[in-house]
Amino acid sequence: MGSDASSAADAMGVLRAAVPLQPDADLVLATGGGEQQVVGLVLVDVSNGFCTVGAGNLAPVTPNKQIEKMVDEAARLAKVFCERNWPVFAFLDTHYPDKPEPPFPPHCIIGSGEENFVPALEWLEKDPNVTIRRKDCIDGYLGAFEKDGSNVFSDWVAKFQIKTVLVLGICTDFCVLDFASSALAARNIGRVPPLEDVVIYSEGCATYNLPVEVARSMQGTLAHPQDLMHHMGLYMAKSRGAKVVDRIII
């Protein structure tokens, strides 16, 4: 056990040296009057199916500090935004039982409870300040398209004239990364005006842990060391043009 922990620490040291990630300047959320840039909060899949111990195939099997911290930060900032009537947008991964999402096992099936907010965020369901979008794909931006071609996320940005979105959620290297990448690509071709910046809060994101020694016993399964993949998710998001911050100042 000690050897495994030491090997993981060594691997992280090598990774951080090879692909260093320097945080951007702290994001300051101004509460005063006058002209200020509108910031919208985006929560990605902070649901039972990904965060609550034992809740489903993709939920943690034991308590996980990184995920717990992400949930705490999501709840804290959601409360700040709603108390000030600042715009909040929440994605919730939600699937029909007859519509699989390979390569993942069934998860967040409608009616299972996995598809709903974690207990600390259940109050968002009834808060009028919150726009909720249930999506059936990894990428929230793609999952926000309606059949008529409109996009719920783009409409939310336009309605509140949001120039910066602050993104928190799970998984850093899957749904958070894919949403950020697509939102930035859409920004670049003028699909989400007046959006300028996508800011990812590193302390408010998390991913899952599947150590290599466990993955070896699961045929066809890739290892997914949590800290390493969290770092790479943030690094890849920054390489796509997102800002990555480790502190929010209110």
Side-chain angles (χ1 to χ4, degrees):
M1 189 75 174
S3 176
D4 291 342
S6 177
S7 297
D10 290 344
M12 279 304 301
V14 171
L15 179 68
R16 288 195 172 106
V19 284
L21 179 65
Q22 294 298 323
D24 290 287
D26 298 339
L27 179 65
V28 179
L29 301 175
T31 58
E35 292 231 1
Q36 60 186 62
Q37 182 165 292
V38 178
V39 178
L41 178 65
V42 176
L43 302 176
V44 179
D45 295 340
V46 191
S47 62
N48 291 316
F50 298 124
C51 306
T52 301
V53 174
N57 289 324
L58 297 185
V61 295
T62 58
N64 184 283
K65 289 183 178 180
Q66 188 184 92
I67 293 175
E68 289 170 356
K69 183 172 184 179
M70 178 273 295
V71 170
D72 289 344
E73 287 299 288
R76 179 178 72 87
L77 285 170
K79 187 68 71 177
V80 168
F81 271 71
C82 288
E83 286 175 348
R84 291 162 174 75
N85 293 315
W86 294 344
V88 177
F89 193 103
F91 289 108
L92 286 172
D93 205 48
T94 305
H95 297 275
Y96 289 99
D98 60 346
K99 192 175 180 182
E101 188 183 33
F104 306 104
H107 62 281
C108 298
I109 302 299
I110 292 174
S112 67
E114 294 178 34
E115 79 281 23
N116 295 329
F117 285 118
V118 295
L121 289 175
E122 286 177 347
W123 58 273
L124 290 177
E125 287 275 6
K126 296 181 180 179
D127 195 296
N129 197 58
V130 181
T131 300
I132 297 172
R133 176 66 176 185
R134 292 190 176 274
K135 63 181 180 68
D136 62 355
C137 65
I138 295 171
D139 188 326
Y141 180 76
L142 293 181
F145 275 103
E146 300 282 28
K147 290 181 179 179
D148 64 4
S150 62
N151 187 286
V152 178
F153 171 74
S154 297
D155 292 345
W156 174 76
V157 168
K159 177 181 177 180
F160 294 102
Q161 290 294 288
I162 295 167
K163 292 190 175 181
T164 299
V165 290
L166 172 61
V167 185
L168 288 76
I170 192 168
C171 289
T172 317
D173 51 325
F174 284 97
C175 294
V176 172
L177 172 61
D178 283 13
F179 165 72
S181 299
S182 290
L184 287 162
R187 176 206 64 183
N188 290 347
I189 59 172
R191 295 293 181 91
V192 283
L195 185 66
E196 295 177 359
D197 291 316
V198 173
V199 179
I200 298 176
Y201 177 36
S202 60
E203 302 302 298
C205 291
T207 192
Y208 68 95
N209 189 41
L210 185 62
V212 63
E213 62 271 14
V214 176
R216 286 195 189 107
S217 66
M218 303 167 67
Q219 188 173 2
T221 300
L222 295 174
H224 192 274
Q226 185 177 44
D227 289 341
L228 189 152
M229 298 309 295
H230 176 68
H231 179 91
M232 286 308 303
L234 296 171
Y235 187 88
M236 290 303 297
K238 190 163 184 176
S239 76
R240 302 286 178 86
K243 293 180 179 179
V244 176
V245 302
D246 57 10
R247 235 176 26 143
I248 308 294
I249 298 175
I250 302 169

